[in-house]
Amino acid sequence: VVLVNPRNPLNVGAAARAMRNFGVGCLRLVNPYELAFREARSAVGASTVLKQATEYGTLAEAVGDCTLVVGTTAARNRELHHPVRRLETGARLIRKHLAGGRVALLFGSEKRGLSNTDLSHCHWLLRIATREQQVSMNLGQAVAVCLYELTRGSESQRPRDGRAAASPSATAAEQERVTEVLMEALLASGYLQRSAAAQDKLRRLVRRLDLRAEDAEIWLGMLRQIAWKLRRLE
Amino acid sequence: VVLVNPRNPLNVGAAARAMRNFGVGCLRLVNPYELAFREARSAVGASTVLKQATEYGTLAEAVGDCTLVVGTTAARNRELHHPVRRLETGARLIRKHLAGGRVALLFGSEKRGLSNTDLSHCHWLLRIATREQQVSMNLGQAVAVCLYELTRGSESQRPRDGRAAASPSATAAEQERVTEVLMEALLASGYLQRSAAAQDKLRRLVRRLDLRAEDAEIWLGMLRQIAWKLRRLE
C-alpha cells in the first residue's frame, strides 16, 4: 500500500489498521505531511505496520521494486489515459500478479487523489463502484474496501456457515411430535377443537418453521410443560 | 444500518459517509453517546444521511419494522448461539431478502461490539474475514466493507425471490411480540423463571424460526389463548 501525499494522521493510522485486519504488511508513504506521519506513528498502540512504514521522496522510488503499479481513483471527472477496472475485476488480476511479483496499490491525498503525474506511474487504475452522488471515499475506508476485496475468499473459501453441519434439521418424526404436543396444548387451552383439518394445518405450520433438531427438543419441552399444566388445572 | 451505542462522532460520521458512497440511506442509532451524535450531526458538511438519522432508546424499537436482523461480529472470542456467515455468503442472503422486506445491519460499539442481549435480536451474524492477529475492525471501515459487499455487482443483479414476494417475513416487532407471549405462557406454566438470560434465549429461539408474517399472527393467537387459559386457571 502506497499513500501518496497523505495529510491526516488519522487516515494514515486507519490505513495501517485496515492493513493489519487483512494481513497486508508493507506500507509506504510518498512525501507525507511530516507532522501527520510522525503523529500517526507515535500514536498509542501504533502497529508494527505503521512503525515499519517507510518514507520516500518520490513515487518512483516508492514503487521501484514493484512489477505492477495500480492507482486508485474515483474516475469520473477526469479524462483518464489508463484502463480503469472495477475493483472486483482488478482484484483478480492483482492476486494473479502477486504470485510472481510485488504489486503497489496507490492511494492519493485526501483532497485531490492522485495527480496525473502520479497516475503516469501506473499500469492501470482501480475504481470502487460508488454512487454518483458521493463518489469519493474516505481514505481509510477505501484502503479497507480494496484490501477486503483483494483478500476476499483467500481463506481458501472455507465457509463456516455450516448451519446444517453444526445443527442438523429436525427429522419428520421430531416435527410430528412437536405438532402433536402443540395440538394437545391448544385443545386444552380451548383454542381449537380436534379435527383432521386442524391437525393438517398445525402440521404445515410446524413444518414451515424448518426446525433444527436441538430446537425441536426445546419446543417439545416447553409445549409438554404447558400441556401438562393446562391438563392439571382443568 | 443500525449503530448500537456508538461513542465516537468520527465513527458515526464515517459510517454515514460510507452509506452515501454505497447508496444506503437509512441510519439508526441506538442509545448513542449524546455528545457524539450531536457533534457528528452538526459537523460541517454533514450529509443528509446523518441529518435524517433517527435515535432510539432500545434496539427492539430500532429494528421493529425490519424482517431480517443481522449482527456483525469479529466472532472469535465468544461462544455464539447464532449461525455465523462470512460476509460474502451473508451478503447474498441479505440481497435476496431485501426484495421482500427491510433488513437491519447491526454494528456494536467501538469497544465491545454487540452484547449478548443485542445479539439475541438477530437472526444470524455476519463476520468479515480478518486475520487472527488483528481481528477487530474500525467501525467506519467495517460499515464501508459490508456495504461494499452488499452493493457489489448490484448494477447487474436484480434478485428475484418467490418466497419473499408470496409471503413476507414477520417484522422484528412481530417476532418480539411472539417472544413476549411465549415468555408469558412459559412463566405461567412453570417452565421457567423470569430472567434476562431466559428472555435472550427465547428471543434467539423465536428468531431461528424465521417466521412469516401470517404465521406470526397464528402463533400469537395460539400462544395468547394458552397464556390466557393458564392465567385464568391459576
Side-chain angles (χ1 to χ4, degrees), chain A residues 62-79:
Chain A
V63 301
D65 60 343
C66 299
T67 53
L68 174 63
V69 181
V70 177
T72 55
T73 175
R76 303 252 181 189
N77 304 322
R78 287 200 264 190
E79 251 188 62

Side-chain angles (χ1 to χ4, degrees), chain A residues 14 17 20-21 86 130-131 134 136-137 140-141 148-149 152 155 161 189 208 212 215 225, chain B residues 14 17 20-21 86 88-89 130-131 134 136-137 140-141 148-149 152 155 189 208 212 215 225:
Chain A
R17 178 159 179 188
R20 284 195 74 202
N21 285 140
R86 277 179 65 129
T130 51
R131 304 289 147 138
Q134 172 79 21
S136 122
M137 284 191 72
Q141 290 175 322
Y148 163 76
E149 180 67 46
R152 191 174 188 275
E155 262 177 30
D161 290 11
S189 79
R208 285 202 294 272
R212 315 175 189 189
D215 283 356
Q225 171 75 21
Chain B
R17 179 160 177 187
R20 283 196 74 201
N21 285 141
R86 277 180 64 132
E88 294 89 321
T89 325
T130 51
R131 303 290 147 137
Q134 172 79 22
S136 124
M137 285 190 74
Q141 290 175 322
Y148 163 76
E149 179 68 45
R152 193 175 186 274
E155 282 161 26
S189 79
R208 284 201 293 273
R212 312 175 189 193
D215 284 355
Q225 171 74 22

Side-chain angles (χ1 to χ4, degrees), chain A residues 110-229:
Chain A
E110 295 89 341
K111 283 262 151 125
R112 310 207 174 157
L114 296 165
S115 70
N116 282 328
T117 305
D118 297 336
L119 291 179
S120 71
H121 290 271
C122 297
H123 294 92
W124 45 268
L125 306 180
L126 205 58
R127 179 174 77 82
I128 303 175
T130 51
R131 304 289 147 138
E132 301 281 351
Q133 298 82 351
Q134 172 79 21
V135 165
S136 122
M137 284 191 72
N138 163 278
L139 179 56
Q141 290 175 322
V143 172
V145 167
C146 286
L147 299 186
Y148 163 76
E149 180 67 46
L150 276 169
T151 58
R152 191 174 188 275
S154 65
E155 262 177 30
S156 75
Q157 305 265 13
R158 260 220 254 119
R160 270 202 280 131
D161 290 11
R163 174 196 194 272
S167 60
S169 298
T171 64
E174 286 160 340
Q175 295 182 54
E176 187 59 13
R177 274 198 292 280
V178 172
T179 309
E180 278 161 15
V181 184
L182 177 61
M183 183 77 180
E184 210 186 314
L186 291 175
L187 286 171
S189 79
Y191 180 82
L192 49 68
Q193 305 284 314
R194 187 180 293 283
S195 81
Q199 181 103 18
D200 288 354
K201 217 169 144 185
L202 277 189
R203 191 176 286 120
R204 288 194 301 269
L205 187 72
V206 170
R207 295 316 180 273
R208 285 202 294 272
L209 299 181
D210 196 17
L211 287 174
R212 315 175 189 189
E214 56 182 73
D215 283 356
E217 275 313 302
I218 298 175
W219 281 100
L220 260 184
M222 297 190 312
L223 291 169
R224 273 191 187 126
Q225 171 75 21
I226 287 172
W228 172 83
K229 185 80 171 185

